[in-house]
Amino acid sequence: MRRLDFRIRAVRRLVPASALLIVALCAASPAFAAPGFTGATRLPIGPIWDDPFIREMYLSAVDEVERVARASGIAVPPGVRNRITDYTAAAPKTMRSSLLIDLSQGKKIEVEALQGSVVRRGQAAGVATPIMSALYAVLKQYA
């Protein structure tokens, strides 16, 4: 884990956090959506994924970030929603994001680099981000 931490720190020095969020989307990582939902609900991914309405909102957030990425000129591979659906459906139901863990420990969270980044990029590109904006609003005070 120490090598991974070193690599992440090296990348963070070179690339703005907001760009890393879009890179995560392009790699079909759920990292950009899961923290917002687990943080806002204070629940692990299982109860979120098991509720059909919340699951659809989660996937709609995925769609919002994909639209923002495309509008920002980032080549997003096809099938992002399907890959994230498959990943999240297979994840342990007890999986908690690092954002949720930080919240539960009273630490500051990376909301500006995650949800805030999507909202700002969406505004700049003229792309509506209502779900990510709501998550940002709920979590912003913990930044």
Side-chain angles (χ1 to χ4, degrees), residues 20-39 45 58 61-62 65 80 83-84 87-88 95-100 110-111 113-115 118 132 135 139:
L20 290 177
L21 175 69
I22 302 302
V23 170
L25 168 67
C26 295
S29 167
F32 72 92
F37 281 85
T38 61
I45 198 66
Y58 176 94
V62 169
V65 178
V80 169
R83 285 194 301 278
I84 291 175
Y87 177 92
T88 308
M95 183 180 81
R96 299 182 308 149
S97 66
S98 62
L99 186 145
L100 174 57
E110 63 272 19
V111 67
L114 295 172
Q115 294 78 21
V118 173
M132 294 301 288
L135 292 171
L139 296 168

Side-chain angles (χ1 to χ4, degrees), residues 17-85:
S18 58
L20 290 177
L21 175 69
I22 302 302
V23 170
L25 168 67
C26 295
S29 167
F32 72 92
F37 281 85
T38 61
T41 63
R42 305 302 198 270
L43 294 171
I45 198 66
I48 293 166
W49 195 252
D50 289 344
D51 183 291
F53 179 78
I54 301 172
R55 179 177 53 242
E56 184 52 37
M57 291 299 100
Y58 176 94
L59 292 172
S60 293
V62 169
D63 297 339
E64 287 179 12
V65 178
E66 182 176 2
R67 286 192 298 273
V68 169
R70 289 184 191 287
S72 299
I74 297 169
V76 180
V80 169
R81 189 184 231 252
N82 291 337
R83 285 194 301 278
I84 291 175
T85 297

